Amino acid sequence: MSDENKTFRPSDAAVDAEVDAALGDIDMDALYESNAPEQTATELTGEHPGKIMSIDVPKNEAMIDLGGKHQGIVPLDQWDGRMPTIGEDEAFVIERRDAEDELYRLNRKGKASRNATVETIEIGQVVEATVTGLNKGGLECRIGRALRAFMPSGQVDIHFHEDLSIFLNEKFEAKVQKIDKATKNVILSRRMVIEAERREKKKELMAEIQPGDVRSGTVSNIMDFGAFVDLGGADGLLHVSEMTYRRGVKPEDIVKKGDHVEVTVLSVDHDKNKISLSLRASMPNPWDNATEKYQVGSTVTGRVVKTTNFGAFVEVEEGIEGLLPISELSYQRVNRTTDVVKEGETVRLVILSMDPKSKKISFSLKAAAPDPWEGVEGKYAAGTEHVGTVTRVADFGAFVQLEPAVEGLVHISELSDKRVRQTSDVVKQGQQVTARVLSLDTEQRRLRLSLRSAKAIEADAKKNELPVTPDKTPAEKKAREKKLKKTPLKGGLDF
């Protein structure tokens, strides 16, 4: 460099002095910040919070502050006739950025530009869709003024809808799932939007819900073991055992899908995100005052809710159910419960026992009816003859019914004056016979009968020195029983 050039170059100190004089009170850092390059247009994408800065009614648009130096505009018609207020905070979706005016074109969350096209929407964007038609596979929709889209039936809701016509002409938010620019096909999903909302609501619900809370919900699904209730973001299980105090019911007997119910929260499992609910917890427990209403020996009316091979279960009121054993169905022998009672039948019963602590109660049907053995002493004295019907035939003899529930045994040795090898050789079930009473025990409800001739019976009586006339005194009866024990009947059965 020449000396001449050196002459015209100012010193560093002189340059600094000149700059300071030009800037005056201006801060250098502020100057650099003001001249910093603006953020690129691609920096804001997707959903973004914003605040309404101004409203231009003639231009039908609102100016939105997106933070920093980013601003955007939104058509006023996206507020569906409502005039927005300056200062409102909302979530907006970035549609695109105009480099010319350096403004973002925005949509309110759930809205799309009235002039939306496959080029201006993006996968994952939430738009407002209008249902315009139906087909076998789902819903035909419109985004904005003219962009056609399709929503498969499986993407309409989180629950299955057999009739999709209920959505016709409806508007709702949906997420853009697929875009085929070549064919201009757009696939939407309302289900994804609902699931995202439910995830947020579930987090809030699980954070605040506590056992003992009473919540309102909607029955969302019914299973064999119970029902699921939507509590607003999360489903809780309402087990069938917690639906009512009644037993043996089915979930669909108590609730229907879509029913609005008030339930009590039994437990919350945060690790497994499970909520257990109860419908009956808010109902009075019928066993609390059962002892005041039901006493042993009293007569009640109940409904047969279930029959088994060992008896029947009878409900006297909702939640109070007891067993009617097969042995208590009738004074007669009962082979099958259904021969006496049927499910749904109303019966009059006597309470045999009751245990409120274990919630158990037992009944008797026969105790509520007149006892057929009362007064039989005067009718069936020893030595008297009666016409009866053979009800059962066994190896050791036959049972003969003299009247309903009054039955006696004819031992095989008493079937005939002759020796009998098989009972069926002499009598058949259903056959009418004339039987003679040998003895009567009212306490044990036993009748000993004979089909032999009176002459043969008298001969045996003389041989065994046994009376054939009715017992006259308790002492005579006791003496006679003692002799009978010493003289067993033929065949070895002492009845």
Side-chain angles (χ1 to χ4, degrees), residues 136-155:
K136 292 181 180 179
L139 302 176
E140 297 172 2
C141 302
R142 185 184 70 245
I143 304 171
R145 288 179 176 175
L147 181 56
R148 298 176 62 186
F150 176 71
M151 185 179 298
S153 57
Q155 296 300 318

Side-chain angles (χ1 to χ4, degrees), residues 437-450:
V437 178
L438 294 180
S439 67
L440 170 65
D441 186 343
T442 54
E443 289 184 6
Q444 297 295 322
R445 296 177 184 261
R446 289 182 177 179
L447 263 174
R448 293 177 65 247
L449 305 174
S450 176

Side-chain angles (χ1 to χ4, degrees), residues 348-402:
R348 193 164 179 77
L349 309 162
V350 171
I351 298 176
L352 293 182
S353 65
M354 187 172 177
D355 185 354
K357 289 184 178 179
S358 59
K359 298 180 181 180
K360 290 182 179 179
I361 186 169
S362 63
F363 306 108
S364 174
L365 182 63
K366 70 182 185 182
D371 187 350
W373 281 82
E374 286 185 7
V376 295
E377 295 94 334
K379 295 171 65 176
Y380 304 112
T384 57
E385 291 186 345
H386 305 273
V387 176
T389 303
V390 177
T391 57
R392 285 180 293 151
V393 175
D395 293 339
F396 53 82
F399 289 91
V400 177
Q401 181 176 282
L402 302 182

Side-chain angles (χ1 to χ4, degrees), residues 2-19:
S2 64
D3 292 339
E4 184 180 359
N5 289 335
K6 289 180 180 179
T7 302
F8 286 100
R9 178 182 179 184
S11 66
D12 291 340
V15 171
D16 290 341
E18 185 177 353
V19 170

